[in-house]
Amino acid sequence: MDKPNKRPKNILKLEETVVNRIAAGEIIQRPANALKELLENCLDAGSTSIQVTVKDGGLKLLKIQDNGSGINKEDFPIVCERFTTSKLQKFEDLNAIGTFGFRGEALASISHVAHLTIITKTSEMQCAYKCSYHDGKLIGAPKPCAGTQGTQIVVEDLFYNVPTRKNSLKSPSEEHNRIIEVVTRFAVHNASVGFSLKKLNDNGSDVRTSPNSTQEDNIRILYGHAVAKDLIKLQVEDPGLKVKVNGLISNVDYSGAKFTILLFINHRLVESTPLKRALDSVYAIYLAKGKHPFVYLSMEIAPNCVDVNVHPTKHEVHFLNEDAIIHKIQSSADMLLKAASTSRSFAVQTVIPPISFLDKQQSKVAGAKVYDKQLVRTDSRDQKIDKFLSTTMESMPPSSSNQSHNFINQTSMESSEEPVAAVFQLKETEKRIPSEAERAIQGVPDCSNSTMGHRSSVAQGIVERRQFELTSLTQLREDVKKNTDQVLRDTFKDSIFVGCVSEKHCLIQYGTRLYIFHMERVAEEFFYQRFLDEFGNCGVICLSDPPPLYNLALMALDQEENEWRPDDGPKDHLANLASQLLFSKSEMLDDYFSLQINEKRHLVAIPLLLVDYIPDLTQLPSFVLRLASDVEWNVEKDCFDTICRVMARFYRKPNNHEVLNVGSDKNWKWTVEHVLYPAIKASLLPPKAWINDGTILQIADLPDLYKVFERC
């Protein structure tokens, strides 16, 4: 069955009003587009001052006042008609266009979707004239009025006759922000022109720049000092490509939340996705993920190489040799950033508490109200019953001579391949192992004869603390005191231990602030100071199976961390030299540091500085090697200083060896919290350098957290 033939619809010519409104919708998409077109007309007129006033994001009112050349009186009837322009006369003129406007559609399009009023005065006019336009036509005759040199264009009720477009726009505040962005970009590029932007009946200005300024000054005013201080100049010129580029790009120290790019080609505000993508790929090498740069570029390309008539709003242009020019700019930016990346700046967070924390009397003012954000939590678990119960043999009353020990065997175990300790500690009143003469008098056994699982007993007696009047030792102690930061000292002294984040980092609370600190650095400095304070008065930790110094040094040379190289010599020879050197210094090491070496060159004992604290014995080989190689033995002060440093490095990490901890829940975390950190609180003198080197950092503050939660 044949289908009936349908008659095609006739092609009708649209009414001129419909045509103009469709065209206006393509050109004037939102208030910011209208403003861009009007600003370009102001600049084409040679204005040096442009004032913009808006209401409701430009939808209710958009007024632009300039001091340019104005509009001739004879042009009033056609100024708002489509395709009326003073910029070109024939199509070939587009090849050498040097102005912003050229199609003559801006005012015509605005007049079709808004109520348009123009007040203008040229230098030849006796007075200004006011004209009103509707759908591109002049309404009535121009009216004389008072006015200054230049042109004032008033756009009211934008999209009043296009409700769909009006309803699809964002809120007035969002449209106002877009207007600010347009004016800001024009103000940066046209630094010789003064711009101002404000809301109607508002005394303040959202944008204000001075005439005859510079791009750098306007960026500082409009984008802030944080952007302006990190800018570097970019200059590219290639006669072969007929391009010249001047710009300001952020260096590697700046990183913004979004990519801000201001691109002007032949002084026309445009966008270029390929150029933006190319620059973003360069900065991705230098900036952290999610961070972006600030870029301002002004490109001057021969007019006959640019096609400006490719988009209704003229926000995109095409130009010859686009890929080559973009590559040229990309390479120049990469070279500048590479040179700038050799020196980078980082913000360092200070750990100095506010004065209110140091002045404790302020919190005691009678009747002062304490807010929630100032409260410091007190944990009931901080005060434990075992603080009042004695669990050590030290506090138990002696019931027999066999229970009266000056030494307490803390642990015993079978010997293994690694050096293992049978730990003996002195009472708190006894700070060192007596000399041989004192042993003969008091009956104290020599540690070299102690065996695994054997408990030594000695006659009761108290060994007095020895005092040394050594100038070098006094100077080292004074250096520590002079280099102490008192605020950090108070922070540690009055802090509460929160917990171990890792083996290297711990958390403490001071007042309402939470800090994280590098445990190994703090512990190393603490033990360095401890060795200086306990000089000649250290206790001992006796090794149940004393290892040979030669074997320890040889083990250390086999470890990659000690970086032995064939150029250093044979390992066995170096180990033998280390053993000989330490044996030759054994008397001094024993007398001053309780580091005991017997006649067989075996390491018998290491110093005891804290009760219940044993250093990481897996580091004993490296300790012996460093003691032989890193100590300055020839100068007394340097000798004591380097020995204390080497020992402090060995002691900074508590033992976590499975053999030593069998049947005990006192792991390294327990040692840090209950043994090491209380000692640090009591006596550590923190160096001033810790304020800036990241050893301790503030990571939270209760009042600041309250501010965050209040905004949620």
Side-chain angles (χ1 to χ4, degrees):
M1 182 176 180
D2 295 336
K3 294 182 179 180
N5 293 329
K6 290 186 178 180
R7 180 180 176 81
K9 293 182 179 180
N10 293 332
I11 298 176
L12 302 177
K13 183 178 181 180
L14 294 175
E15 294 182 4
E16 186 176 355
T17 303
V18 177
V19 173
N20 291 333
R21 288 185 182 180
I22 293 174
E26 294 179 349
I27 298 170
I28 310 301
Q29 299 175 358
R30 59 187 345 120
N33 295 122
L35 177 62
K36 175 180 176 292
E37 299 288 344
L38 297 176
L39 288 176
E40 290 178 344
N41 287 343
C42 294
L43 294 171
D44 281 338
S47 305
T48 59
S49 176
I50 301 175
Q51 302 173 12
V52 181
T53 306
V54 298
K55 181 181 180 181
D56 291 345
L59 293 171
K60 200 68 177 177
L61 174 70
L62 186 61
K63 183 169 68 174
I64 299 92
Q65 171 81 50
D66 68 45
N67 62 349
S69 58
I71 302 173
N72 294 320
K73 187 176 180 180
E74 57 269 22
D75 295 332
F76 289 168
I78 64 171
V79 71
C80 285
E81 291 185 3
R82 292 188 69 194
F83 309 120
T84 55
T85 179
S86 62
K87 314 299 172 53
L88 57 84
Q89 296 180 354
K90 55 185 183 295
F91 182 79
E92 287 73 14
D93 292 342
L94 280 174
N95 295 329
I97 193 72
T99 58
F100 300 110
F102 56 85
R103 290 193 295 236
E105 288 188 293
L107 289 175
S109 298
I110 293 174
S111 71
H112 283 89
V113 293
H115 302 303
L116 180 64
T117 302
I118 299 177
I119 301 174
T120 185
K121 179 182 181 299
T122 65
S123 59
E124 299 176 353
M125 292 180 181
Q126 297 297 320
C127 64
Y129 286 89
K130 180 178 181 180
C131 307
S132 298
Y133 295 88
H134 177 71
D135 288 341
K137 303 297 183 181
L138 177 63
I139 302 175
K143 299 178 182 179
C145 64
T148 58
Q149 170 79 29
T151 302
Q152 180 184 104
I153 298 178
V154 181
V155 180
E156 297 177 284
D157 299 324
L158 188 61
F159 301 128
Y160 75 97
N161 55 357
V162 191
T164 303
R165 174 64 60 83
K166 187 174 183 179
N167 294 333
S168 66
L169 296 176
K170 302 289 185 180
S171 63
S173 60
E174 177 67 21
E175 297 303 323
H176 184 74
N177 290 336
R178 291 178 180 269
I179 289 175
I180 292 176
E181 183 178 357
V182 170
V183 177
T184 298
R185 291 169 182 261
F186 273 95
V188 169
H189 180 70
N190 301 278
S192 60
V193 180
F195 286 82
S196 72
L197 167 65
K198 70 173 187 175
K199 293 181 180 179
L200 184 66
N201 300 324
D202 193 348
N203 294 329
S205 298
D206 294 314
V207 176
R208 179 175 291 276
T209 60
S210 302
N212 300 319
S213 185
T214 63
Q215 275 90 8
E216 291 90 336
D217 292 337
N218 286 353
I219 290 175
R220 182 176 292 104
I221 294 171
L222 301 173
Y223 288 94
H225 178 70
V227 177
K229 70 182 180 65
D230 291 326
L231 294 179
I232 51 180
K233 290 186 177 181
L234 172 69
Q235 293 182 331
V236 178
E237 186 171 3
D238 192 325
L241 298 176
K242 300 181 181 180
V243 63
K244 181 179 180 182
V245 181
N246 290 291
L248 296 166
I249 63 175
S250 58
N251 60 23
V252 294
D253 291 332
Y254 173 81
S255 57
K258 64 178 183 178
F259 194 158
T260 303
I261 179 169
L262 285 63
L263 177 61
F264 290 81
I265 297 181
N266 291 350
H267 307 289
R268 186 187 306 277
L269 178 60
V270 296
E271 297 177 1
S272 175
T273 301
L275 177 60
K276 182 177 180 180
R277 190 181 298 115
L279 291 174
D280 203 13
S281 65
V282 172
Y283 275 95
I285 302 174
Y286 302 97
L287 301 183
K289 185 178 181 180
K291 298 299 181 180
H292 302 282
F294 175 93
V295 175
Y296 159 69
L297 293 178
S298 176
M299 300 172 58
E300 295 183 19
I301 306 176
N304 60 350
C305 296
V306 182
D307 186 359
V308 296
N309 191 31
V310 296
H311 196 278
T313 63
K314 295 176 288 188
H315 82 280
E316 289 185 5
V317 297
H318 291 169
F319 48 90
L320 297 179
N321 305 313
E322 182 173 349
D323 292 340
I325 293 175
I326 290 176
H327 179 71
K328 195 84 174 179
I329 296 173
Q330 184 183 30
S331 301
S332 299
D334 188 28
M335 291 177 60
L336 290 174
L337 295 175
K338 189 177 296 183
S341 64
T342 57
S343 176
R344 301 189 66 170
S345 301
F346 297 91
V348 178
Q349 185 177 21
T350 180
V351 301
I352 300 178
I355 298 177
S356 59
F357 282 113
L358 300 180
D359 189 3
K360 300 180 181 179
Q361 298 301 322
Q362 293 183 3
S363 62
K364 300 180 180 180
V365 178
K369 181 178 179 181
V370 179
Y371 296 94
D372 290 345
K373 65 182 180 180
Q374 298 171 331
L375 294 176
V376 178
R377 177 175 179 268
T378 301
D379 194 339
S380 60
R381 293 174 296 178
D382 288 345
Q383 197 77 345
K384 300 175 183 177
I385 194 170
D386 58 4
K387 288 190 175 183
F388 305 97
L389 299 177
S390 175
T391 58
T392 64
M393 295 180 62
E394 288 181 327
S395 58
M396 296 176 60
S399 58
S400 65
S401 60
N402 291 333
Q403 294 175 336
S404 177
H405 298 298
N406 284 34
F407 296 86
I408 302 175
N409 189 348
Q410 298 285 352
T411 183
S412 61
M413 69 294 294
E414 297 294 338
S415 60
S416 61
E417 294 181 0
E418 295 180 350
V420 184
V423 183
F424 294 82
Q425 70 180 44
L426 292 171
K427 286 187 177 181
E428 293 182 0
T429 56
E430 299 173 348
K431 298 299 183 181
R432 60 176 293 274
I433 289 296
S435 63
E436 292 183 2
E438 292 170 330
R439 291 193 187 103
I441 297 173
Q442 300 178 9
V444 179
D446 193 337
C447 275
S448 61
N449 296 324
S450 63
T451 60
M452 179 268 300
H454 176 262
R455 294 198 175 198
S456 301
S457 61
V458 295
Q460 289 185 338
I462 297 178
V463 180
E464 294 183 359
R465 184 179 178 85
R466 295 195 299 171
Q467 301 295 331
F468 294 88
E469 301 296 335
L470 298 175
T471 303
S472 57
L473 183 62
T474 303
Q475 290 176 351
L476 290 173
R477 291 171 176 171
E478 288 298 322
D479 290 343
V480 171
K481 294 178 181 179
K482 290 179 182 179
N483 194 36
T484 301
D485 185 274
Q486 189 58 42
V487 176
L488 284 180
R489 170 67 186 130
D490 294 338
T491 301
F492 279 100
K493 180 181 177 183
D494 298 330
S495 64
I496 298 174
F497 187 84
V498 175
C500 297
V501 179
S502 65
E503 291 188 4
K504 292 186 177 181
H505 293 92
C506 297
L507 294 174
I508 58 173
Q509 177 184 338
Y510 175 69
T512 61
R513 299 188 171 200
L514 184 66
Y515 295 90
I516 187 170
F517 67 91
H518 198 289
M519 188 65 213
E520 288 190 357
R521 294 185 198 170
V522 172
E524 184 173 344
E525 180 63 28
F526 163 74
F527 280 113
Y528 170 76
Q529 297 176 14
R530 189 80 171 181
F531 274 112
L532 292 178
D533 293 338
E534 298 299 321
F535 187 88
N537 294 280
C538 300
V540 293
I541 300 175
C542 295
L543 303 180
S544 60
D545 187 12
L549 294 175
Y550 173 84
N551 291 351
L552 292 174
L554 196 60
M555 289 172 60
L557 291 170
D558 289 335
Q559 297 173 353
E560 294 183 1
E561 62 185 43
N562 293 310
E563 299 179 349
W564 173 84
R565 296 172 301 179
D567 296 341
D568 298 331
K571 292 181 181 179
D572 55 347
H573 177 66
L574 295 176
N576 188 49
L577 291 178
S579 175
Q580 291 178 2
L581 175 62
L582 294 180
F583 179 71
S584 66
K585 308 294 183 181
S586 60
E587 185 176 355
M588 182 268 289
L589 292 174
D590 181 17
D591 192 29
Y592 290 158
F593 300 100
S594 297
L595 189 73
Q596 299 179 5
I597 302 172
N598 62 16
E599 297 293 335
K600 297 180 181 180
R601 299 184 186 178
H602 290 191
L603 183 61
V604 175
I606 58 176
L608 172 69
L609 295 176
L610 294 176
V611 176
D612 286 331
Y613 186 90
I614 306 172
D616 184 7
L617 296 180
T618 61
Q619 298 298 316
L620 195 57
S622 296
F623 163 65
V624 170
L625 183 62
R626 293 191 185 100
L627 194 62
S629 60
D630 295 352
V631 173
E632 175 54 61
W633 298 99
N634 297 322
V635 181
E636 183 178 90
K637 180 180 177 181
D638 294 341
C639 178
F640 293 158
D641 178 59
T642 50
I643 289 177
C644 291
R645 291 292 181 190
V646 171
M647 287 193 168
R649 183 174 180 180
F650 172 48
Y651 274 74
R652 67 185 182 181
K653 186 177 179 181
N655 172 72
N656 196 31
H657 196 273
E658 294 179 358
V659 176
L660 287 179
N661 290 329
V662 169
S664 173
D665 59 350
K666 297 179 179 180
N667 57 11
W668 66 271
K669 291 185 178 180
W670 184 93
T671 303
V672 170
E673 179 178 359
H674 297 281
V675 178
L676 181 55
Y677 192 74
I680 290 174
K681 284 182 59 175
S683 63
L684 176 66
L685 301 179
K688 297 177 181 178
W690 285 1
I691 295 178
N692 298 319
D693 66 1
T695 299
I696 179 169
L697 294 173
Q698 176 189 323
I699 59 175
D701 186 16
L702 187 60
D704 293 340
L705 292 177
Y706 265 80
K707 294 177 182 178
V708 173
F709 294 139
E710 287 170 358
R711 290 195 294 265
C712 296

